[in-house]
Amino acid sequence: MEQDDITLLRLSEPDANESAAGRRFRELHDEIRSRISLLDYPPGMRLSEEALAEEFGVSRTPLRRVLWQLQAEGLLQSVQGVGTIVTDIDIGALYQVYQMRMELSPLLARLSPRTISPQDMKRFKVLHKKCLELTDNPSARGYSVVNIATFHALADLTTNEPLRETMERLFYQTARIWLKSLTDQDVMRECKSLCQEVRDYRDAACLGDIDALAHLWRAHTSASMTRLQQKAAAQ
Amino acid sequence: MEQDDITLLRLSEPDANESAAGRRFRELHDEIRSRISLLDYPPGMRLSEEALAEEFGVSRTPLRRVLWQLQAEGLLQSVQGVGTIVTDIDIGALYQVYQMRMELSPLLARLSPRTISPQDMKRFKVLHKKCLELTDNPSARGYSVVNIATFHALADLTTNEPLRETMERLFYQTARIWLKSLTDQDVMRECKSLCQEVRDYRDAACLGDIDALAHLWRAHTSASMTRLQQKAAAQ
DNA sequence: TTCAAACTTGTTGTGTACATCATGCCCATC
DNA sequence: GATGGGCATGATGTACACAACAAGTTTGAA
């Protein structure tokens, strides 16, 4: 599955007239963002600029640009003398982001939607296949990989760049929260839930019904938020 | 009016536990963003990192962080060997941003709105007074100052940070477009239009009706877009 | 024994020299 | 006179040394 992880997660296609520096920046950004989202770098962890720079074979300067970008996106927080810390998110901010996401998802079908192509249908079919594999062998990390890939499959259905960028920004602010403090039982339940969700998307996509896709997305986002709130209240 | 410019435009309040570096970054960012929005740095202009660093009394390193941020916000574009260029915006991207902004403005009243305080009412009253002064002595720059301040007065009515940040980001992507290629007649007409717009906001604010404010905002944003399209079609 | 001050260590922030690249000018050549 | 190549110039990109700062550790005296 590791090879598929890459094809599922590496989604920002290189621009034709992108400079070498620009490409490296984007690759580093996506890589570190993945690690944060998959809890390789859990909230509260301190990252070392020097260690990361050495690992990626660059000096601190270009790496710091990446960390600043992730700080602007709300995933990192740098403090002089202390370090660069992976941010946590409190329940209040989480709720605000989810509220916003629920308002944005219907826009997928309203603002410059693409017509659903056979490639799109295949993409959702592959995602559903991954989901089935996942329910046979559930894992928090595997769940997150499919969850992120599903988001990108949906977000890529609009050609409205401001909408797509905003949805991506907000999604990654909350994506890692799911993996925190999930029991094995929770993981199993969430994997099944994701499987049903992706099946719904696949069916709507095969019908070419982007309006249905958008409303399904909103419904599932809302349900996720509710489950998260119930879990938070139970603790 | 110059003194009022400052009170109108400098709106990001300093955080209590903000580091010296963080405050300097925010101040530089707001200052350069203002210059871009007010066409002190018009689209296509090449900025010199070294010259800017010298002007602000810092080295290139902290200044480059500001320029990268503005690049991420779509206001600048750096190319090695050429320079840092103030971006222009094509009609297609402009339309996409406006579509998005029209969908976001109604959310002002739906996502965590504040109750309108006497300070808010006073803020809109002051804005309207500035508008009246502006119609007596119209200028493109004065129009833009009031326009930007009006945006912030509206955006500050929600406590939903993701919403506020997104609206701000999108607003500044299009704010400077108005000033480009406006005849004196256009400026006069737009100043009058802004005056009516702000009067509507003031009246709604004094009634404490944030729902009306949000819908007025959407309506005026839509009208602005329509006027802009008509002007583009006429050229 | 306790507590506080100094020190050590490791981090991010800043300044600066150099590398890399694009552009326009100048001059030799056709 | 036109044109193409080399070169000077100035821009951003990168690397590195050092400053500023916070936290833990040690050491000394009360």
Side-chain angles (χ1 to χ4, degrees):
Chain A
M1 179 146 179
E2 285 71 19
Q3 185 57 37
D4 287 331
D5 280 15
I6 295 172
T7 59
L8 284 176
L9 284 180
R10 297 286 176 285
L11 291 151
S12 30
E13 66 275 13
D15 204 350
N17 50 359
E18 190 179 29
S19 67
R23 179 167 52 254
R24 183 162 72 175
F25 168 78
R26 187 176 45 77
E27 287 172 351
L28 287 180
H29 172 271
D30 289 358
E31 172 62 28
I32 298 178
R33 189 177 63 173
S34 272
R35 294 184 183 183
I36 294 172
S37 303
L38 299 176
L39 294 198
D40 295 335
Y41 300 153
M45 179 174 179
R46 292 197 323 198
L47 305 180
S48 165
E49 295 182 349
E50 199 160 6
L52 279 175
E54 189 180 11
E55 175 187 348
F56 292 116
V58 299
S59 80
R60 277 181 63 206
T61 307
L63 181 83
R64 277 165 68 78
R65 180 178 176 181
V66 174
L67 298 185
W68 283 333
Q69 177 64 31
L70 291 167
Q71 181 169 352
E73 294 170 8
L75 303 184
L76 293 178
Q77 173 70 36
S78 290
V79 183
Q80 182 174 3
V82 178
T84 300
I85 297 126
V86 180
T87 57
D88 206 344
I89 189 168
D90 63 287
I91 190 71
L94 182 71
Y95 180 64
Q96 286 194 332
V97 173
Y98 260 93
Q99 268 199 310
M100 181 85 175
R101 286 183 57 196
M102 287 192 294
E103 299 291 345
L104 291 183
S105 42
L107 301 184
L108 187 72
R110 295 185 55 189
L111 304 189
S112 322
R114 290 200 292 110
T115 55
I116 298 178
S117 68
Q119 284 79 8
D120 294 320
M121 299 181 194
K122 184 178 179 190
R123 200 166 170 187
F124 282 104
K125 286 177 184 170
V126 169
L127 281 171
H128 185 246
K129 188 165 139 283
K130 292 289 169 197
C131 263
L132 291 177
E133 295 176 13
L134 188 62
T135 50
D136 289 338
N137 188 11
S139 73
R141 193 193 172 86
Y143 166 84
S144 209
V145 168
V146 176
N147 189 38
I148 293 172
T150 301
F151 163 79
H152 281 287
L154 288 166
D156 283 347
L157 292 177
T158 181
T159 60
N160 187 303
E161 266 308 301
L163 174 62
R164 217 191 54 72
E165 281 176 16
T166 304
M167 292 196 299
E168 181 170 330
R169 193 183 185 85
L170 295 177
F171 173 81
Y172 276 100
Q173 281 185 13
T174 60
R176 65 219 147 100
I177 303 302
W178 271 112
L179 279 74
K180 272 183 31 179
S181 64
L182 285 188
T183 66
D184 288 347
Q185 196 179 1
D186 290 329
V187 171
M188 189 64 197
R189 190 193 56 207
E190 289 301 329
C191 284
K192 284 182 180 172
S193 172
L194 181 61
C195 195
Q196 292 179 18
E197 184 177 340
V198 172
R199 191 195 53 208
D200 288 344
Y201 296 151
R202 183 203 59 185
D203 294 342
C206 289
L207 291 173
D209 190 345
I210 195 165
D211 199 56
L213 263 173
H215 284 90
L216 281 170
W217 195 12
R218 191 193 199 284
H220 284 296
T221 304
S222 175
S224 288
M225 180 65 202
T226 302
R227 287 202 302 278
L228 206 54
Q229 280 181 313
Q230 286 175 346
K231 188 161 175 55
Q235 281 175 349
Chain B
M1 180 146 178
E2 284 71 18
Q3 186 56 38
D4 286 332
D5 280 14
I6 294 171
T7 59
L8 284 175
L9 283 180
R10 296 288 175 283
L11 290 149
S12 31
E13 68 277 10
D15 204 351
N17 50 0
E18 190 180 30
S19 68
R23 178 166 53 254
R24 183 163 72 175
F25 167 79
R26 186 176 45 76
E27 287 171 351
L28 287 180
H29 172 270
D30 289 359
E31 172 61 28
I32 297 178
R33 189 178 62 174
S34 274
R35 295 184 182 183
I36 295 173
S37 303
L38 298 175
L39 294 198
D40 295 335
Y41 299 153
M45 180 175 179
R46 293 198 320 201
L47 305 180
S48 165
E49 295 182 348
E50 200 161 2
L52 279 175
E54 189 180 11
E55 176 188 346
F56 292 116
V58 298
S59 80
R60 278 181 62 206
T61 308
L63 181 84
R64 277 166 67 77
R65 180 178 177 180
V66 174
L67 298 186
W68 284 332
Q69 178 64 30
L70 291 168
Q71 182 169 351
E73 294 170 8
L75 302 185
L76 293 178
Q77 175 70 36
S78 291
V79 182
Q80 181 173 4
V82 178
T84 301
I85 297 127
V86 180
T87 57
D88 206 344
I89 188 168
D90 63 287
I91 190 69
L94 183 71
Y95 180 63
Q96 286 193 332
V97 174
Y98 260 93
Q99 268 199 312
M100 181 87 175
R101 284 183 57 196
M102 287 192 293
E103 299 291 345
L104 291 183
S105 42
L107 301 184
L108 188 73
R110 295 185 56 189
L111 303 190
S112 324
R114 291 201 290 111
T115 56
I116 297 178
S117 68
Q119 284 79 8
D120 294 320
M121 299 180 193
K122 184 178 180 190
R123 200 166 171 186
F124 282 104
K125 285 177 185 169
V126 169
L127 280 172
H128 184 246
K129 188 165 139 284
K130 292 289 168 197
C131 263
L132 291 177
E133 295 176 13
L134 187 63
T135 51
D136 290 338
N137 189 10
S139 73
R141 193 193 172 87
Y143 166 84
S144 208
V145 169
V146 177
N147 189 38
I148 293 173
T150 302
F151 164 79
H152 281 287
L154 288 167
D156 283 348
L157 292 178
T158 180
T159 59
N160 187 302
E161 265 308 301
L163 174 61
R164 217 191 54 72
E165 282 176 16
T166 303
M167 292 195 299
E168 181 170 331
R169 193 183 185 84
L170 296 177
F171 173 81
Y172 275 100
Q173 280 185 13
T174 60
R176 65 219 148 98
I177 302 303
W178 271 113
L179 279 74
K180 273 184 29 179
S181 64
L182 283 189
T183 66
D184 288 348
Q185 195 179 3
D186 290 330
V187 171
M188 190 63 197
R189 189 192 56 205
E190 289 301 328
C191 284
K192 284 182 179 172
S193 173
L194 181 62
C195 195
Q196 293 179 17
E197 183 178 342
V198 172
R199 191 194 54 206
D200 287 344
Y201 295 152
R202 183 202 59 184
D203 294 342
C206 288
L207 291 173
D209 190 345
I210 194 167
D211 200 55
L213 264 173
H215 284 90
L216 282 169
W217 196 12
R218 191 194 198 284
H220 285 296
T221 304
S222 176
S224 287
M225 180 63 202
T226 301
R227 288 202 302 278
L228 206 55
Q229 280 182 314
Q230 285 174 347
K231 189 162 174 51
Q235 282 174 346

